[in-house]
Amino acid sequence: MSKKKPSGKYLSTLRNIGIIAHIDAGKTTLTERILYYSGRIHRIGEVHEGTATMDYMPEEQERGITITSAVTTCPWRDCLVNIIDTPGHVDFTIEVERSLRVLDGAVGVFCGVSGVQPQSETVWRQSEHYRVPKIAFVNKLDRPGADFSAVLESITTRLRAKPLALTVPDGEGPELRGIFDLIDEKRLVFDQADQGVEFAVFDWTEEERAHLAPWREKVLEAAAEEDDALMERYLSGEVLAPAEIRAALRKATLGMRLVPVLAGSALKNVGVQPVMDAICHYLPGPAEVPPAEGLDPVTKRRKSFPVSPDAPLSALAFKVSLDSGRKLVLMRLYSGMLQAGDTVYNSTQGVRERVARLFKLHAGRKEQVEQALAGEIVAAAGMKDARTGDTLCQENDPVVLERIGDYRPVISVAIEPRNSEESGKLDEVLEKYLMEDPTLAVKRDEETGQVVLSGMGELHLEVILERMSREFGLAPRSGKPQVVYQETVGGRAEAFEEFHRELGEVMHYGGVRLSVEPLTRDSGRDVVLEVDGQTCPAAWLEAVVEGVSDGLQSGVIKGYPVQDVRVRVLDLARREGESSPAGYRMAAAMALKKALAGAQPLLLEPIMWVEIGVPDDFVGEVVGLLGAKGAKIENLFDRAGQKVIQALAPLSPLFGFSTDLRSATQGRAGFVMKFSRFDVLD
């Protein structure tokens, strides 16, 4: 079948966006309204009822939270919008990371009462790393204590962003009546009888105009700053047309110089359509963001293709999911086109893959399509080897795109099959979950035969075990969650070790002198060869590096992986006729152990960032409770009538902390935590 060559006009009307926020800010509720108002669904589902379209997994419906990123497509105005609804819970940060990697724009959702919360800060910074232009929606302005201006202030101070209100609420808390549009100078009142589908539009009264003048002036100033001609007309008192204002603000948004902010309440169906308009007005199409850059695997030079269906293919597999046990690869096409039945080149793994079928996704449902074009997000079936982060391209014009960042598990649980029949199936099922979720790790304990499953938090592992039971009928016995540690060194040490032994009737010798020294946190590992490569055979040097690398997998305190360390290989001793790669590999591992033992070995534990919102009356109890858990308090300040306590704490004492906190505060404290780093807490 020959490929249809489309024009690139669709690129200007395509939007690939994500909904990002802290847990419970209202991301999924907002997405439900967007789907309903665009005609994509015909009934609004609610998170609290377990009927939200995008929370289609039973584990999501039961808990009322988003666990896995869900993809859908809907039309609005003249645009086609691909939406990824991302999780807000810290255990599922990888879902946000890999979504942001393939998005062109994002909608940040903030609670009108709490403002910027810890996980909203995390995902915002992730989006900044990928240079993703954003708009913001201040949600829940119908709640008691809502304060639109305070949320804007927290966006400015905590995110170091420049928010610009384009709509403001007409009343706050239970008094929320509608919103004011600052560009068109209209008041919008949403009809609750039809769930906000219809809304009445009123001109501003003179009183409203006077009240809104400072807000409107900021919008005009921001637009004028982007265009000299507009600035001249603005300063001379001319009226600027809404289309001119939007064009100037779009330019500023795409340049990440400001963040348009919309106001409303998704649950009360207030202010959602202006958010949908803003997605089309201010967020970029695929051709308006820089082309995805990668490396040519042959020349190792930087390489990119134009964002066009006529260019060579380049696509990133950003997620692997299992659909009824079958593998689906979600991918973003950055250039070129793809047709069902095509064979593509997986340049990350150096293998060919066949794309049997292509689908557009709508949460848990699939719609088969014949082809996909540059800029689109699709799912492919039939690809056996593709994993998260792999690049798919043409074999005769290859590229390897930047991989998605790695995450290190912080908690583990021992599991064991209930019988021998379950044993083989368990390994097979775990392999599937590892393929789907790069933040999971599995290790088999050789002494006990137990399988140790590691992940990003208690909830993360709990969900995996529940899915195992529901999807595959497996119910392995599991122990209590245990903290995952790492090891490092606090000083420098040098060691020399020799290996001299007969193996298989052949004498093997190796002598290695090396040193170890600490690196700064999160620097990883560095192996430096300081021996003369001209006089030492390459096979010996490779063996030494392998021995060191293997040795770093297991430290000298409790056998945890060693991080943040530099190993310098200083000298190799040799014996004529006996020196061998096997000898040097063993000697390197022995010398490493000896050097690690003499370099002040340290145990690194996961350090968590904890934030607690609590009424004034219970501050003393919370501070005391944190002290008992070994936490170090970093900040204490007021927010929305509560005291906010921020602290760093080791993970292990925090098991069951939420229960202790509820008891100490009569259930009136809010608690969130996120992984900060592996370290020794001073």
Side-chain angles (χ1 to χ4, degrees):
M1 189 191 295
S2 62
K3 294 185 181 181
K4 303 169 192 169
K5 280 288 181 182
S7 73
K9 286 183 180 177
Y10 70 95
L11 287 167
S12 63
T13 58
L14 185 61
R15 299 287 181 271
N16 292 315
I17 65 141
I19 313 285
I20 59 173
H22 185 85
I23 190 171
D24 203 32
K27 299 179 304 301
T28 303
T29 304
L30 173 64
T31 309
E32 286 294 310
R33 269 66 184 172
I34 289 174
L35 296 178
Y36 182 63
Y37 298 148
S38 67
R40 193 68 176 82
I41 59 175
H42 303 292
R43 177 181 173 274
I44 293 178
E46 300 294 5
V47 175
H48 57 272
E49 294 173 1
T51 56
T53 306
M54 303 298 272
D55 288 349
Y56 60 90
M57 288 171 61
E59 290 79 11
E60 296 176 309
Q61 293 164 355
E62 181 185 317
R63 291 175 172 81
I65 63 169
T66 302
I67 289 170
T68 183
S69 301
V71 182
T72 190
T73 303
C74 66
W76 187 250
R77 307 293 187 210
D78 62 347
C79 288
L80 188 67
V81 184
N82 288 323
I83 303 172
I84 299 184
D85 176 28
T86 63
H89 196 286
V90 67
D91 283 17
F92 307 103
T93 300
I94 182 66
E95 289 285 340
V96 185
E97 176 89 17
R98 57 188 174 185
S99 299
L100 286 169
R101 175 71 176 80
V102 298
L103 295 175
D104 300 323
V107 181
V109 182
F110 300 94
C111 173
V113 179
S114 304
V116 177
Q117 296 167 279
Q119 186 65 1
S120 39
E121 219 170 324
T122 299
V123 296
W124 193 274
R125 302 223 185 286
Q126 285 173 317
S127 73
E128 292 287 299
H129 171 73
Y130 290 117
R131 299 287 299 164
V132 176
K134 293 170 287 295
I135 63 174
F137 177 54
V138 180
N139 192 25
K140 300 190 177 184
L141 287 170
D142 60 307
R143 294 272 186 96
D147 188 334
F148 183 67
S149 295
V151 177
L152 294 182
E153 179 62 28
S154 69
I155 291 173
T156 303
T157 55
R158 297 190 64 180
L159 302 180
R160 295 185 178 86
K162 187 181 176 184
L164 179 71
L166 302 187
T167 66
V168 295
D170 179 12
E172 290 180 333
E175 302 299 314
L176 181 68
R177 294 173 291 275
I179 60 168
F180 293 109
D181 183 331
L182 298 172
I183 294 179
D184 289 322
E185 299 182 277
K186 303 291 183 184
R187 179 167 65 92
L188 280 53
V189 179
F190 296 81
D191 186 354
Q192 297 306 315
D194 65 359
Q195 295 185 294
V197 173
E198 299 294 331
F199 53 90
V201 180
F202 302 97
D203 290 328
W204 290 354
T205 65
E206 287 307 313
E207 186 181 343
E208 288 168 346
R209 188 174 299 280
H211 167 65
L212 295 165
W215 292 100
R216 162 91 174 162
E217 208 60 34
K218 288 178 183 174
V219 173
L220 295 176
E221 285 173 6
E225 283 174 7
E226 289 298 316
D227 187 303
D228 291 342
L230 276 188
M231 177 65 81
E232 211 171 294
R233 291 170 52 206
Y234 167 66
L235 293 174
S236 65
E238 278 190 50
V239 175
L240 304 182
E244 295 177 305
I245 298 170
R246 290 191 182 98
L249 296 182
R250 177 181 179 78
K251 184 179 168 188
T253 306
L254 298 190
M256 300 187 71
R257 291 183 290 280
L258 59 79
V259 178
V261 181
L262 294 303
S265 167
L267 187 63
K268 299 298 182 184
N269 311 307
V270 173
V272 174
Q273 290 92 331
V275 175
M276 299 164 74
D277 289 341
I279 289 168
C280 298
H281 287 319
Y282 306 114
L283 293 181
E288 294 172 292
V289 295
E293 274 204 342
L295 287 178
D296 186 309
V298 179
T299 67
K300 304 300 180 188
R301 291 179 181 164
R302 304 297 297 173
K303 184 175 184 179
S304 65
F305 299 124
V307 183
S308 164
D310 298 320
L313 174 69
S314 65
L316 184 76
F318 68 94
K319 182 176 176 179
V320 173
S321 68
L322 298 173
D323 178 48
S324 303
R326 292 178 181 169
K327 183 176 173 181
L328 269 185
V329 178
L330 276 68
M331 65 176 80
R332 159 73 189 266
L333 270 70
Y334 287 102
S335 62
M337 58 189 295
L338 189 59
Q339 195 158 341
D342 281 355
T343 296
V344 298
Y345 182 60
N346 183 331
S347 57
T348 309
Q349 300 193 40
V351 296
R352 295 185 186 94
E353 302 255 28
R354 185 173 180 274
V355 179
R357 285 166 295 158
L358 288 170
F359 303 96
K360 289 281 181 72
L361 296 183
H362 177 51
R365 299 196 296 278
K366 305 190 299 290
E367 174 192 325
Q368 193 162 346
V369 294
E370 286 305 309
Q371 66 178 16
L373 308 175
E376 294 187 328
I377 293 174
V378 292
M383 301 173 70
K384 293 179 181 176
D385 296 307
R387 290 178 174 261
T388 296
D390 284 0
T391 300
L392 308 167
C393 58
Q394 293 174 194
E395 192 167 2
N396 62 356
D397 202 347
V399 65
V400 179
L401 300 172
E402 179 191 353
R403 285 187 65 85
I404 293 164
D406 292 329
Y407 281 80
R408 288 178 278 177
V410 298
I411 195 168
S412 63
V413 63
I415 57 176
E416 53 186 35
R418 293 183 179 274
N419 50 53
S420 56
E421 186 187 332
E422 246 191 22
S423 182
K425 193 175 178 184
L426 180 64
D427 290 342
E428 186 184 317
V429 168
L430 286 173
E431 181 60 33
K432 288 181 177 178
Y433 287 136
L434 285 173
M435 191 185 300
E436 184 178 319
D437 186 348
T439 59
L440 280 175
V442 172
K443 187 170 78 171
R444 187 174 290 278
D445 190 314
E446 299 300 335
E447 292 180 12
T448 64
Q450 287 182 322
V451 174
V452 180
L453 179 65
S454 304
M456 300 302 292
E458 287 180 89
L459 180 61
H460 187 200
L461 297 180
E462 191 181 303
V463 166
I464 290 294
L465 292 173
E466 283 182 21
R467 286 185 60 194
M468 209 178 280
S469 171
R470 175 175 58 82
E471 295 171 357
F472 297 99
L474 287 178
R477 287 186 288 268
S478 59
K480 289 184 178 179
Q482 304 289 323
V483 171
V484 174
Y485 293 92
Q486 293 187 345
E487 295 184 26
T488 191
V489 294
R492 186 182 183 281
E494 193 174 299
F496 174 74
E497 282 290 338
E498 290 179 297
F499 178 85
H500 191 211
R501 194 173 302 168
E502 187 176 311
L503 299 173
E505 299 183 2
V506 177
M507 190 61 73
H508 290 269
Y509 174 80
V512 177
R513 181 180 301 283
L514 54 73
S515 69
V516 297
E517 61 195 66
L519 294 175
T520 55
R521 291 290 170 263
D522 293 325
S523 298
R525 304 160 173 166
D526 187 21
V527 181
V528 182
L529 294 173
E530 296 188 353
V531 294
D532 187 353
Q534 301 296 318
T535 59
C536 294
W540 295 2
L541 298 177
E542 285 173 16
V544 168
V545 171
E546 284 176 12
V548 169
S549 299
D550 288 348
L552 290 174
Q553 300 303 317
S554 177
V556 294
I557 303 176
K558 291 188 176 180
Y560 292 107
V562 182
Q563 295 288 347
D564 306 332
V565 64
R566 174 174 288 127
V567 181
R568 298 181 189 274
V569 180
L570 305 172
D571 191 25
L572 301 187
R574 63 186 72 195
R575 287 190 182 176
E576 198 65 40
E578 294 185 351
S579 291
S580 70
Y584 286 110
R585 181 171 182 159
M586 297 301 294
M590 292 159 58
L592 177 69
K593 291 291 186 227
K594 187 174 179 182
L596 288 173
Q600 303 164 39
L602 298 169
L603 196 63
L604 300 177
E605 58 186 325
I607 304 299
M608 311 303 286
W609 175 260
V610 177
E611 182 169 301
I612 299 168
V614 62
D616 285 352
D617 297 351
F618 297 100
V619 169
E621 285 85 346
V622 172
V623 169
L625 186 58
L626 285 170
K629 301 292 184 183
K632 179 182 173 187
I633 293 176
E634 298 284 307
N635 291 306
L636 178 61
F637 56 90
D638 291 301
R639 184 202 292 156
Q642 281 195 322
K643 280 283 189 292
V644 175
I645 302 168
Q646 295 175 333
L648 289 168
L651 175 59
S652 52
L654 293 178
F655 286 173
F657 180 71
S658 56
T659 304
D660 297 339
L661 184 65
R662 274 197 299 274
S663 300
T665 62
Q666 298 173 18
R668 295 178 64 193
F671 161 62
V672 291
M673 71 175 179
K674 64 180 181 181
F675 173 71
S676 174
R677 62 184 185 274
F678 277 95
D679 210 341
V680 180
L681 191 63
D682 297 330

